Structure formats: structure tokens, C-alpha cells
Amino acid sequence: MRIFSGIQPTGRKHLGNYIGAITQYVAGQDRGEAIYCIVDLHATTVPYEPADLREKTYDTAAILLAARLDPARCIFFRQGDVPEHTELTWLLCSVTSWGELNRMHQFKDKAGAQRELVSAGLFLYPVLQAADVLAYRADEVPVGDDQRQHIELMRDIAGRFNARFGDTLVVPEHRIPAVGARIMDLQEPARKMSTTGGSEQGTVYVLDEPKAIEKKVKSAVTDSGSEVVRGPDKPGISNLIEILSVVRGVPMEAIEAEFASARYGEFKAAVADAITGYLAPVRERYAAIRADEAALEATLEAGAAKARAIAAATLAD
């Protein structure tokens, strides 16, 4: 089985990114042939500074490597180093309708946030995303729940291409974690944790120091009542229960049973301690990896050479 996924180099990586994507990447190395890329071309579809994008690309690469992504066990590269992605995007545009792209929720959300220019690149973002995956004939795409619509479009594009030109592309399946697919903002639990649209105090970053994590979790919005239990009227506590469930690797029911007689303060302290321990190994390894940009560049270049060998064959077909 071949697995492919890409990660944006924009913004600081947070707990939601780590649970929903990065841990899946690491696990994927044991489940099949894993191919992962930092999607710097996607990052150019909204306003950006070139120097800042280069720095954030290295930041993202260092976090992934610190999380135990192993270039000896996967193909790890920078999207912009493999021009087959953009060439295949153009070919796939011939089997993608304007109407489909216009219905993409993320395009509407991001376009509404742009004050000066809504780029054509932002509109075509899902086609480039499809090319990213289809270039490698990947069987599976680990993504967060917010990417479900894009994966469905990707599958439609591949199926339409095959129907017109013969079986050339693999129609991929998405892999969305059953628990932890949508980690919510600690201050606004109705919104997904995000580096662009979320609150600073409600976002736990992978590289946060322990005291910062403790402060954010202890000030997390809670709900009426005092029971540590999930429910539609308890989005704040439900979010913390799900986070602790993922971090500890136990069912949410077990968390509710353990803290059945606990007060919110006691529960939050346990959540903060668990998150701190969960992220500590990555934070500790990150500094040394990020400091060696030459090594990061060499790793990304070596991965790009392996990736091009696969993507070029698909493009030739």
C-alpha cells in the first residue's frame, strides 16, 4: 500500500496538526510505502513573504523529523522541488469543472478573508492537491476531517480521467482518525484549533513550553455544571476529554470514568500534564534539527529525487 500526504509550511504547528496529521505520518511508515511532502506551492496561493516561507518550510521539516519521521523509511520532500506536480495539475484541469471548484468550502472561507486579491491559485488549490496524490498513485491519504470534501473531489477527478483516457490513475481512499480528527480551540470550542483563524490562548503549539501549555489548558473554556462528561451542551469539556483520550491512547469512556468524581480544575491539570509529556520529546529534539539547515536541505533534496522518479513515470503514462 502506498500512502501520501502533504502538510502546509504556514503557521506554527499546533496540537491539532500533531494529532490529526503528524502522528499519522509517523505511523504510516509501518503500514506501507509512505510519501510525505511540505506543500510550499499551496502556501503561495495566499499572500506570503518568500523569505518567511523558506524559514517556515525548514521549521515544518524540523518538526516532522523531530516527531520521528525517518527519511530512510519514507520519502520526504518539498513540493516545489518536483515540477511534475504542477504539470499534472494542468492536465487534471481538463477533467475538473468550474462548478466543482466553486463549491469548495475552503475556497469560500479563504476567499472571504482576502482583502485585496483572491488568486486563481486559491481557486485551483484542490486540483494541485489532487495532482500531489495522483502523481504517486497513492492508495491512501491521511488527512484531517476538514479535507474530506477535497478528497472526494480528488476521487472524482481520478475516476473521470480514467473513464476518458483509460485506467491510469489510482482512486485513493482517505484515512481520517476516528478520535482526534478535529481538535477544537480551547477558548472557542465551536471552532477548530488553527494558527490562522483561532485564538492565541486557545491554541496549544507543538513547541510551547510546559508553563505555556499549563496556562492555556487551565484557562480553557468549560461549560455549565461540574461533571467531566461529553455532551452536545458541553463542547469545552468534550474537547478536553477527546484530547486526553488521544494523548493517553485510551477510550473516551475510560477518561470519563476516571474523572467521574473530579472537579474541572483537577481534570484540567491532568490534561495539561499529559499534553506536556506528549509533546516534550518533539520539542527537545527540534532545536538541534532546526539548527542544521544544510542537513535539512540535503534531506529534502534527496527525498525530491526519489519522488520525481515516481511522479515522472506517472506523468509519462
Side-chain angles (χ1 to χ4, degrees):
M1 178 176 65
R2 182 174 286 168
I3 301 164
F4 181 94
S5 195
I7 188 168
Q8 282 266 13
T10 50
R12 291 177 286 168
K13 297 308 163 202
H14 53 70
L15 183 64
N17 299 137
Y18 190 75
I19 290 173
I22 297 174
T23 58
Q24 288 200 76
Y25 291 1
V26 176
Q29 297 176 124
D30 296 321
R31 294 192 302 104
E33 181 185 6
I35 304 173
Y36 304 123
C37 80
I38 299 174
V39 291
D40 57 331
L41 296 178
H42 282 292
T44 68
T45 62
V46 294
Y48 72 100
E49 292 296 331
D52 183 55
L53 179 56
R54 282 191 289 272
E55 288 296 307
K56 287 180 177 175
T57 297
Y58 286 139
D59 292 346
T60 303
I63 283 180
L64 289 169
L65 294 172
R68 297 301 192 194
L69 207 67
D70 183 356
R73 298 167 58 213
C74 69
I75 296 175
F76 178 46
F77 67 104
R78 179 173 42 213
Q79 182 189 32
D81 291 338
V82 183
E84 284 79 6
H85 287 238
T86 49
E87 188 172 349
L88 183 56
T89 298
W90 185 248
L91 296 177
L92 295 180
C93 280
S94 67
V95 291
T96 308
S97 74
W98 181 89
E100 288 173 316
L101 296 177
N102 200 44
R103 288 191 291 273
M104 292 293 105
H105 302 314
Q106 285 203 350
F107 170 71
K108 293 177 180 179
D109 292 343
K110 290 185 177 181
Q114 301 304 316
R115 296 181 179 178
E116 296 181 4
L117 173 71
V118 178
S119 73
L122 186 61
F123 188 69
L124 292 170
Y125 184 113
V127 190
L128 176 58
Q129 189 178 41
D132 293 338
V133 177
L134 301 179
Y136 300 94
R137 295 180 167 123
D139 303 293
E140 180 183 288
V141 190
V143 291
D145 186 62
D146 62 323
Q147 292 297 311
R148 191 185 296 270
Q149 187 186 32
H150 283 193
I151 300 300
E152 289 304 317
L153 175 63
M154 184 186 303
R155 288 170 52 81
D156 290 343
I157 290 171
R160 199 173 296 143
F161 190 96
N162 289 345
R164 183 185 292 187
F165 302 111
D167 288 336
T168 307
L169 304 173
V170 171
V171 180
E173 299 285 345
H174 59 62
R175 182 183 176 88
I176 298 173
V179 178
R182 287 182 68 85
I183 299 300
M184 312 308 282
D185 189 290
L186 300 185
Q187 291 297 316
E188 301 176 58
R191 300 179 59 178
K192 184 181 173 186
M193 191 175 286
S194 170
T195 51
T196 54
S199 65
E200 180 72 16
Q201 189 61 25
T203 304
V204 176
Y205 297 105
V206 174
L207 300 179
D208 271 347
E209 293 293 332
K211 287 185 177 180
I213 294 174
E214 181 182 17
K215 182 178 180 181
K216 290 177 180 180
V217 174
K218 287 189 173 181
S219 65
V221 169
T222 50
D223 318 287
S224 59
S226 59
E227 293 182 315
V228 178
V229 62
R230 290 167 291 161
D233 58 338
K234 299 174 78 68
I237 287 297
S238 296
N239 186 41
L240 293 177
I241 290 172
E242 183 162 358
I243 289 172
L244 188 56
S245 169
V246 173
V247 170
R248 287 188 176 179
V250 300
M252 288 187 279
E253 292 79 5
I255 300 298
E256 290 174 322
E258 179 183 347
F259 293 94
S261 60
R263 293 187 175 276
Y264 282 170
E266 180 184 345
F267 174 60
K268 285 182 175 181
V271 174
D273 287 344
I275 294 174
T276 299
Y278 184 63
L279 297 177
V282 180
R283 190 183 71 253
E284 291 164 3
R285 288 190 291 266
Y286 172 83
I289 295 171
R290 180 63 181 86
D292 193 345
E293 290 190 357
L296 286 170
E297 189 63 36
T299 296
L300 294 171
E301 288 180 0
K306 295 176 184 177
R308 286 203 72 182
I310 299 172
T314 302
L315 201 64
D317 286 347

